[in-house]
Amino acid sequence: MENDQEELYQTVIANKYCIGCGVCAASEDSPFDMAFNEKGQYQPVMKERQAAEAYVGNLCATCPFSDQCRNETEIAASLFGGSAGITFNDYTGYYLNTYGAYVKGDAFREKGSSGGMGNWIAAKLLEDDLVDAIIHVKEAKDGSGRLFSYQVSTTVPELLDGAKSKYYPIELSAVIKQVMANPGRYAIFGIPCFIKSVRLLAEKNRIFDERIIFTIGLVCGHLKSDQFAKSIGWQMGIEPDKLTEIDFRQKIPGRKSSDYGVEVSGEVAGQAVTKTALTRDLYTTHWGDGLFKYTACDYCDDVLAETADVTIGDAWLPEYEKDSNGTNIVVVRNQIIQDVIDRHREELFLEALSMDKVYQSQAGGFRHRRQGLAYRLYLKDKKGEWRPQKRVQASADATAKRKKIYVKRMALVEESYRAYEAAVKAGDFQYFITYMNPILKDYQKVNDRPFVIRALGKVKRIFLDPLRK
Ligand SMILES: Cc1cc2nc3c(=O)[nH]c(=O)nc-3n(C[C@H](O)[C@H](O)[C@H](O)COP(=O)(O)OP(=O)(O)OC[C@H]3O[C@@H](n4cnc5c(N)ncnc54)[C@H](O)[C@@H]3O)c2cc1C
Ligand code: SF4
Ligand code: SF4
């Protein structure tokens, strides 16, 4: 191809494999800026032509979906491969230890999505003077119209202010510029593909490499466009452009940890309102349906952030789920993080978890990104279309039923965006439901999930009494 930026555009971006991480837009002279597209996803857009043509760099080498970068196993092998006590597993990648865990006593678990281990580890890195700052995702509050963004916290209270999972588009370009301009020792949180981008950039940029001391990965099912957040608010009576805050993970005492709630704030008829509902009562929140997903996520094979020093997720296992306060799975790969955990062990509930249990806790995610990915790659190859090289090989070796599920899931994603556009045009969320009902019914029939016909009136009634037993 003509040049590097053209190659990145023609392969990853134009074919919808871009996850919007923002690394290709992180240098001042990059040909790209990050912007929301019509689906509410961050994507790179070409700056004006003159600047674009002047660029000399290697963008493909730092893009997690380009074929010009090393894969997760190769990156992790050079980071952790030779460490004492390290083991490799096809699902987890390299690991020293795996745990079921939560933070006892103080605010971390209460404020966290799950057991609070993510922010607790970050806090210990600050308190033990191993880093100066934590890069993570907090409420934007910058007038940009975005609800969340990557920001830098230097104290534990600031860190806790950014607790909980943000199922919302974020990107790294601005915060990378901040790191490059401000010397210091940083730890960074990220979903697996973002941590891969950070590792790739660190391979190419010595200053960035020296400043990013630790990476904290989050287990990832998939990333959502901002229409996911807006759809939740809209179902609960807040128009999309009036949604100002969302808490995706509210713990409900007495319920299973997986049976959590969501809280939205915004403006209705000029009045500030805050509303709460159980996610299972809402139309767009069933994670398996994958509504408002980035297409790139269907071509991802890293569930457990294999290139991160430590990975934190939800322990979706019956023995832990019964505790509404939440329990994490933790995969430790870096001995320094292991030492931090060992040093402060009395602050934690911590029990070793077998590899089988780690797998079980994310079984759906692994199936979608192993067998499901193999079939999606096979379909791409059959059509002769470009797609990124993955560690999973293309294969049609799944049952007819599973193949149907995978095909219908891809359609669900595309249809959710069309349905949302129709609802916006009509100014009525009921259009979304009417549009999606037959599509979801068809999918759920193949997937053996009972389908409940929904109407918005029903949804609205439900949120009024969210905590009913
Ligand atoms: C898009 C997404 C998909 C996920 N999918 C799964 C899944 O399928 N299975 C699973 O087990 N877990 C998944 N997780 C992780 C899970 O939701 C929790 O974040 C994790 O268990 C940590 O919980 P905690 O109690 O330790 O969180 P906390 O102690 O609250 O720490 C969370 C930290 O992560 C930061 N953070 C939040 N959102 C983001 C983000 N988008 N990018 C970078 N940093 C962020 C916060 O600022 C905070 O510092 C996902 C998370 C995200 C963001
Ligand atoms: S995935 Fe990241 S690096 Fe690759 S094109 Fe998209 S924004 Fe750029
Ligand atoms: S599923 Fe993969 S590509 Fe999608 S956000 Fe998660 S780590 Fe990134």
Side-chain angles (χ1 to χ4, degrees), residues 113-114 116-119 136-137 162 164-167 219 221 313-314 362:
S113 287
S114 181
M117 285 297 294
N119 265 352
H136 63 146
V137 174
K164 292 199 179 175
S165 315
K166 292 25 174 248
Y167 305 129
V219 176
D314 290 293
Q362 307 297 326

Side-chain angles (χ1 to χ4, degrees), residues 8 12-13 18-24 34 44 62-65:
L8 187 67
V12 177
I13 302 169
C18 169
I19 193 62
C21 72
V23 167
C24 62
M34 296 306 290
T62 53
C63 170
F65 279 91

